[in-house]
Amino acid sequence: MEIAQEREKEIEEFCRGKKVRKSPNFPHQRFSQHARDFPESLAIISDSQNMTFRELDLSSNRFANLLKSRGVERNKVVVIQLDRSLAMVVSILGVYKAGGSCVLIEPAAPPYRLEKMMSILQPQCVITTKSYAENYNRCLASLFLEEDLDAFLSCFPDEPPGVHVAPEDTAHIFFTSGSEGEPKAVAFPYGWQADGAQPEPMSERHIYKTDSGTTFTRAEILRPLSRGQQLYIAPSGLERNFRELAEYIANNSITHLISTPTALRELLATEEVKNCRALRSVTCSGEKISSQLKREFFSRLNAELVVSYGCTEVPGAVSYVMTREDDPDHDVAGKVAPLMEAYVVDSALNILPVGVEGEIFLGGLMATGYLNNPLLTQERFIANPFDTDKSSRLFKTGDRGCWVKGGFLQVKGRNDGLVKIRGYRVEITEVEETIARLPFVRQAAVVSEISGVGINNLMAFVAVSSGPISVGDIKIALSKMLPDYMIPSRFILADELPLTASGKIDRKALIPSSFENDKPMTLSRIPDNLERELISIWRGVLDVKKIDVRDNFFDLGGSSLLAAQMIDQVERFFDVRVPLDLVWFRGGTVESLAVILREGSSGPDNMGLVNIKSGKGNPLFFVHVRGGHLSDYYHLARCMSPEQAVYGLQARGVFGIERPDSSVPEMAAYCIENMKRVQAAGPYMIAGYSSGGTVAFEMAKQLKAMEEEVRMLVLLDTFCPVVELSRRWKKAFMRLCEGKTHDLRDAVYASLIRGLKLEKMLKFRDLDSAHKWAYRLYKPSEERLSVEFIVAARSVEKINDDFLGWGNYLAESSSVSQFPGGHVEIIRYPTVIDVAKVLQSRIDALS
């Protein structure tokens, strides 16, 4: 009896938070109460617009009524994918007031992952912008664009819709990494809140700076507004520039901040953080916080540090408010928060005594489970064996830990492959499986490593197939398939990964120093003055200190967006024009870029031909698109067989040296001329994407007239110019109805030129203008060529034609392969992998 009482006392003291009164947690209702109490006080402050509590309350009421008119009611899912803005705040409050379940999708969510999310959610409505609208073309939900919201909302009453929600209704849905390589949706109810003293309204200033779609974003927005405090919306990009973030916090006297340890470390490293004198409290969660970081915090800031531990399913279960007087070496997550529970148990679910390590289970205010995944819900959410209430449950975290003196919980690590990266929970299996799906990868193993400053990072060991595959290639591919935080920060490439006797990857042997390409960097040679200037530009763009002249731009963490920024700076600094394709296809190094700059006006030896990928046998020739570039083929070429040779045919004038061709036949003739430098005679294999397919078709026609064999002609989602002409006239008349005459003028002009056969009189020095008119004036002749057609499903849907209008110009032997998605998706990961397989299989069948 005494033992049982002692155990119950221990449970009460350590495992269960303070018993306090509770009330339903309806943040939108608490916000509306503050709007009634302080209607003219500023609630939102941003660079573009400020809004009082009253204005925000009325706007969110109108938005709630709009949603209600479109079928949103209790527990109906509403997806929001917006950039950080006032519209985001209005939308969240509006969804709550309509009784809906809110889902925030980060702006950078890859289309491949987003498609999986939508299949789980089946939303009633989607709120987004024109920039992201194409992501939802196949979604049956009502679509609202941010740009049109003002016009929509003006038609709806500003009275609340009168929807009554219950604590068990789903308020929010968050996505986390899944143990089966798939994202999973965590359904979180309104639930309850602990009653207690609240801060004086209008006494705090909070900052909204996170676009993650996680509990971080929700907390940054709803915590201040439900407490009657001011919310500052940080300008776009500020969360990545910590010096400017510190200045913003200081200049706006921000008092409260939510951060991950990784971001906090970067903020504390700035000189400007010393000016953040108004900062009173920083809540830090998402990762373990090191003793060194605690020391740095209290040496730079006069604020309290709130350490919070939990997970998406049970956030904020344990917390610890630290001040300067606390010991930074006290390595604990904190004590159990009010209305929360935490247990450290063995495999038989027996509570373990102080100092004994076991698995951590959390309870209290928690998620209801995983949306549309009852089996996983049953596995991770179990009946609470320590509570007589049969509805009480615990969540199996997978974390290991123990209790230490004073009732503090200490977290030791993980039982499984889950890790926390920059505050996100990441399933290593999902990252590994995604890397392994890439066609140029044979083996992949991902591990987590602790950096020298105590930050958790992912490191990938990858065995690649033969061919010139770089870390940059892998990163570019993954950027289309995974969120940024799930892409390993470090890659080790190898011919083979070590295996155990049973044939599995030997993870114990995955030691970076044992792989040749992980040796400490030594300079290949001393850079010259021109290369030093380029290195300086690269450092600024990439935020990398050590750069060798032979480092690949993408291996250093570059992306297509950063490449464009880098080329822009190079062109401005050196007053030259450098096509972006040269970064992709001519080495992508400081050394190769310096060679291009030195070539000056003379350009490379052969400006119309780019060796994209070396290989054996007859090469495949990709034809440039409108504008003359080849970067659309980068992923497709990399996904083809390592043995397949691939060349790109660039347009005349792409370097700004020669006068560009202003007709499709001229472009085709120039491409044939360059193609014959590699392959003097047929049979030829030619492919063109989008407008490049039109030039490829004309090339095949001209080669046929030369009695040269075209063994394979591939058009990748190329609309027939006749169809394009019809669409241009339709658009011209629609624009005319809007009072805009430019499109109609161009259409009439093109018809006159075509009718009077004046095409040859057109001469342009500007490449874009030359190509624009070349495509507008081209009409293919009925050659009845045999074509391998590759189309996107959405393109077919637009004109209800499998061959996108080319039917009258194709031989009966032509074939079509259709792929899901839109025009852009077929050349992006992951769809491009399947496109490359079909293309390669056609080539292999011909050999």
Side-chain angles (χ1 to χ4, degrees):
M1 186 67 175
E2 291 181 3
I3 295 176
Q5 290 177 343
E6 187 67 28
R7 176 54 55 88
E8 183 61 30
K9 181 182 178 184
E10 190 175 87
I11 291 175
E12 287 295 330
E13 290 182 354
F14 282 69
C15 305
R16 293 174 183 156
K18 185 179 178 182
K19 290 184 177 179
V20 295
R21 290 182 58 186
K22 64 180 183 180
S23 59
N25 180 26
F26 302 136
H28 56 293
Q29 293 182 5
R30 300 203 306 276
F31 161 77
S32 293
Q33 181 59 54
H34 289 297
R36 291 189 288 272
D37 294 340
F38 307 96
E40 302 310 317
S41 297
L42 279 180
I44 304 289
I45 297 93
S46 71
D47 284 354
S48 59
Q49 183 183 356
N50 297 340
M51 188 173 275
T52 65
F53 273 87
R54 177 178 176 276
E55 291 169 335
L56 181 56
D57 194 36
L58 296 180
S59 290
S60 56
N61 285 345
R62 287 191 289 269
F63 192 70
N65 286 309
L66 166 63
L67 293 175
K68 189 177 178 183
S69 74
R70 298 302 174 90
V72 175
E73 56 189 26
R74 290 169 62 177
N75 299 308
K76 290 287 186 179
V77 175
V78 180
V79 165
I80 305 174
Q81 187 179 29
L82 295 172
D83 295 314
R84 190 164 59 244
S85 62
L86 181 59
M88 171 73 93
V89 181
V90 172
S91 298
I92 293 174
L93 289 173
V95 172
Y96 278 13
K97 289 181 177 183
S101 304
C102 186
V103 185
L104 305 183
I105 304 292
E106 62 175 317
Y112 175 66
R113 187 175 175 85
L114 185 59
E115 190 173 331
K116 292 183 177 181
M117 293 177 175
M118 292 305 104
S119 67
I120 296 172
L121 294 171
Q122 298 296 311
Q124 181 77 17
C125 291
V126 173
I127 304 137
T128 188
T129 69
K130 290 178 181 177
S131 303
Y132 310 125
E134 191 172 304
N135 293 335
Y136 303 95
N137 283 351
R138 300 180 73 83
C139 183
L140 299 179
S142 297
L143 186 69
F144 299 106
L145 299 182
E146 179 184 13
E147 294 83 356
D148 303 329
L149 281 183
D150 286 342
F152 268 120
L153 296 181
S154 63
C155 303
F156 288 88
D158 52 21
E159 293 297 321
V163 176
H164 297 285
V165 291
E168 61 271 15
D169 288 338
T170 300
H172 224 99
I173 298 170
F174 304 101
F175 276 92
T176 70
S177 179
S179 58
E180 300 301 322
E182 302 284 339
K184 56 187 180 185
V186 181
F188 213 91
Y190 286 96
W192 304 85
Q193 65 164 347
D195 292 339
Q198 293 292 319
E200 188 71 23
M202 306 306 295
S203 63
E204 299 175 351
R205 295 183 175 191
H206 295 242
I207 180 172
Y208 162 32
K209 56 166 179 48
T210 307
D211 297 320
S212 65
T214 65
T215 53
F216 264 63
T217 304
R218 180 177 183 267
E220 283 188 344
I221 293 173
L222 292 179
R223 183 179 296 179
L225 294 178
S226 64
R227 294 162 64 170
Q229 310 298 339
Q230 290 185 327
L231 178 62
Y232 283 72
I233 301 178
S236 177
L238 198 70
E239 71 281 4
R240 297 186 296 274
N241 188 322
F242 292 96
R243 180 183 60 79
E244 292 184 5
L245 176 60
E247 288 180 347
Y248 185 89
I249 292 171
N251 293 339
N252 292 284
S253 300
I254 301 297
T255 62
H256 288 67
L257 174 70
I258 299 174
S259 177
T260 64
T262 300
L264 181 59
R265 178 176 292 282
E266 296 296 328
L267 185 68
L268 293 174
T270 67
E271 186 64 26
E272 289 73 15
V273 76
K274 67 182 181 183
N275 298 321
C276 300
R277 299 184 182 91
L279 203 56
R280 301 202 300 264
S281 178
V282 176
T283 299
C284 205
S285 66
E287 301 166 293
K288 189 173 182 178
I289 184 167
S290 67
S291 299
Q292 180 59 32
L293 184 55
K294 295 173 190 174
R295 290 190 179 91
E296 290 178 20
F297 179 89
F298 290 115
S299 69
R300 307 299 303 277
L301 292 171
N302 185 23
E304 66 178 19
L305 178 63
V306 182
V307 179
S308 179
Y309 164 74
C311 52
T312 304
E313 293 84 351
V314 197
V318 176
S319 62
Y320 181 24
V321 180
M322 293 189 66
T323 64
R324 288 174 181 269
E325 286 68 41
D326 290 298
D327 181 6
D329 290 322
H330 194 200
D331 181 21
V332 294
K335 293 185 176 183
V336 181
L339 303 183
M340 305 302 290
E341 298 174 49
Y343 301 90
V344 178
V345 300
D346 60 18
S347 57
L349 295 182
N350 295 310
I351 293 179
L352 295 171
V354 173
V356 178
E357 186 176 322
E359 184 169 2
I360 300 173
F361 281 69
L362 299 178
L365 308 177
M366 61 195 302
T368 52
Y370 300 108
L371 192 67
N372 299 327
N373 198 336
L375 290 179
L376 187 60
T377 299
Q378 186 177 2
E379 175 190 332
R380 301 296 295 273
F381 293 83
I382 67 168
N384 188 346
F386 314 115
D387 197 324
T388 55
D389 183 353
K390 292 184 178 180
S391 66
S392 178
R393 296 172 308 143
L394 294 179
F395 177 71
K396 178 183 173 70
T397 67
D399 288 333
R400 296 195 65 79
C402 66
W403 294 106
V404 297
K405 245 174 127 182
F408 289 95
L409 179 65
Q410 189 176 66
V411 181
K412 297 284 191 177
R414 292 289 303 177
N415 274 337
D416 50 26
L418 281 170
V419 294
K420 281 290 187 74
I421 304 293
R422 285 154 43 192
Y424 298 90
R425 199 169 73 202
V426 174
E427 170 60 52
I428 285 180
T429 303
E430 181 176 359
V431 181
E432 282 186 354
E433 290 180 356
T434 305
I435 296 174
R437 287 191 66 221
L438 300 177
F440 42 76
V441 171
R442 292 201 316 276
Q443 299 168 296
V446 177
V447 299
S448 64
E449 62 170 350
I450 304 296
S451 69
V453 292
I455 301 301
N456 219 13
N457 294 317
L458 291 181
M459 175 169 57
F461 294 82
V462 181
V464 298
S465 56
S466 58
I469 304 301
S470 69
V471 171
D473 297 328
I474 300 172
K475 282 188 174 181
I476 291 167
L478 293 179
S479 69
K480 312 300 180 184
M481 305 168 77
L482 292 173
D484 177 65
Y485 62 87
M486 292 179 71
I487 298 175
S489 57
R490 190 178 178 195
F491 283 84
I492 309 275
L493 301 189
D495 295 328
E496 298 284 346
L497 297 189
L499 302 178
T500 64
S502 61
K504 297 180 180 179
I505 293 175
D506 187 355
R507 295 180 181 273
K508 293 181 179 179
L510 295 177
I511 303 170
S513 59
S514 64
F515 290 82
E516 185 178 341
N517 73 331
D518 198 55
K519 297 290 188 285
M521 192 189 89
T522 56
L523 290 178
S524 58
R525 61 175 177 79
I526 303 299
D528 60 28
N529 290 335
L530 174 61
E531 290 165 340
R532 286 193 186 95
E533 296 291 356
L534 289 173
I535 287 173
S536 178
I537 292 173
W538 283 31
R539 282 174 180 159
V541 172
L542 296 169
D543 193 24
V544 173
K545 293 181 180 180
K546 292 184 179 181
I547 298 177
D548 183 67
V549 293
R550 291 174 183 166
D551 281 337
N552 181 277
F553 183 81
F554 301 100
D555 290 355
L556 296 171
S559 63
S560 56
L561 180 61
L562 291 177
Q565 294 176 10
M566 182 269 288
I567 288 295
D568 179 64
Q569 291 190 31
V570 168
E571 289 182 340
R572 290 172 183 271
F573 187 87
F574 293 101
D575 193 24
V576 294
R577 180 172 170 77
V578 183
L580 183 59
D581 289 347
L582 296 182
V583 181
W584 299 92
F585 299 127
R586 286 191 58 182
T589 65
V590 167
E591 185 176 58
S592 64
L593 189 53
V595 170
I596 294 165
L597 293 176
R598 289 193 186 93
E599 287 169 348
S601 59
S602 63
D605 295 337
N606 188 355
M607 292 181 286
L609 188 68
V610 175
N611 183 1
I612 296 176
K613 192 159 73 71
S614 299
K616 300 175 183 177
N618 280 9
L620 173 65
F621 293 92
F622 283 132
V623 183
H624 67 82
V625 299
R626 174 177 165 176
H629 68 82
L630 296 164
S631 57
D632 288 324
Y633 301 110
Y634 183 78
H635 304 312
L636 184 55
R638 284 293 184 262
C639 288
M640 298 183 72
S641 167
E643 304 301 318
Q644 179 63 52
V646 179
Y647 283 87
L649 301 172
Q650 285 192 139
R652 194 195 317 267
V654 74
F655 285 82
I657 301 165
E658 302 172 288
R659 183 186 294 274
D661 294 318
S662 55
S663 75
V664 170
E666 287 176 353
M667 292 184 207
Y670 182 70
C671 287
I672 290 173
E673 175 189 333
N674 286 294
M675 181 173 67
K676 284 181 171 290
R677 297 187 184 190
V678 175
Q679 187 180 342
Y684 292 108
M685 297 188 296
I686 307 169
Y689 165 70
S690 191
S691 53
T694 301
V695 180
F697 183 89
E698 176 63 24
M699 287 176 66
K701 170 192 161 186
Q702 293 184 18
L703 288 165
K704 182 179 178 182
M706 299 176 191
E707 298 186 349
E708 291 274 20
E709 181 186 355
V710 177
R711 182 167 290 178
M712 188 175 76
L713 172 62
V714 183
L715 303 190
L716 294 109
D717 215 50
T718 298
F719 284 91
C720 180
V722 176
V723 171
E724 288 292 333
L725 178 63
S726 174
R727 294 169 74 188
R728 279 197 296 273
W729 276 103
K730 183 178 179 182
K731 178 184 176 184
F733 281 112
M734 290 176 63
R735 301 279 281 178
L736 184 65
C737 295
E738 299 172 1
K740 298 173 183 177
T741 60
H742 183 79
D743 291 295
L744 183 61
R745 187 176 70 241
D746 278 357
V748 172
Y749 184 42
S751 295
L752 287 173
I753 292 172
R754 191 184 302 106
L756 298 174
K757 301 187 184 303
L758 301 176
E759 293 95 330
K760 291 185 179 179
M761 296 181 61
L762 294 175
K763 299 295 179 185
F764 301 91
R765 294 205 63 84
D766 174 67
L767 184 72
D768 290 334
S769 298
H771 281 197
K772 169 186 171 183
W773 285 101
Y775 287 107
R776 287 194 168 195
L777 298 172
Y778 180 69
K779 183 177 180 181
S781 57
E782 296 186 12
E783 293 294 328
R784 294 291 176 180
L785 299 176
S786 180
V787 173
E788 297 282 350
F789 226 98
I790 292 176
V791 295
R794 290 181 201 162
S795 296
V796 172
E797 290 169 3
K798 283 181 180 178
I799 63 170
N800 194 28
D801 187 336
D802 286 347
F803 289 99
L804 304 188
W806 286 94
N808 293 332
Y809 307 94
L810 306 182
E812 291 184 2
S813 57
S814 298
S815 65
V816 63
S817 300
Q818 188 176 125
F819 293 88
H823 183 65
V824 175
E825 276 84 358
I826 69 166
I827 58 166
R828 289 183 177 173
Y829 290 99
T831 307
V832 71
I833 297 173
D834 297 323
V835 172
K837 285 179 182 177
V838 168
L839 189 53
Q840 190 65 57
S841 68
R842 300 288 193 273
I843 294 172
D844 294 342
L846 295 173
S847 59

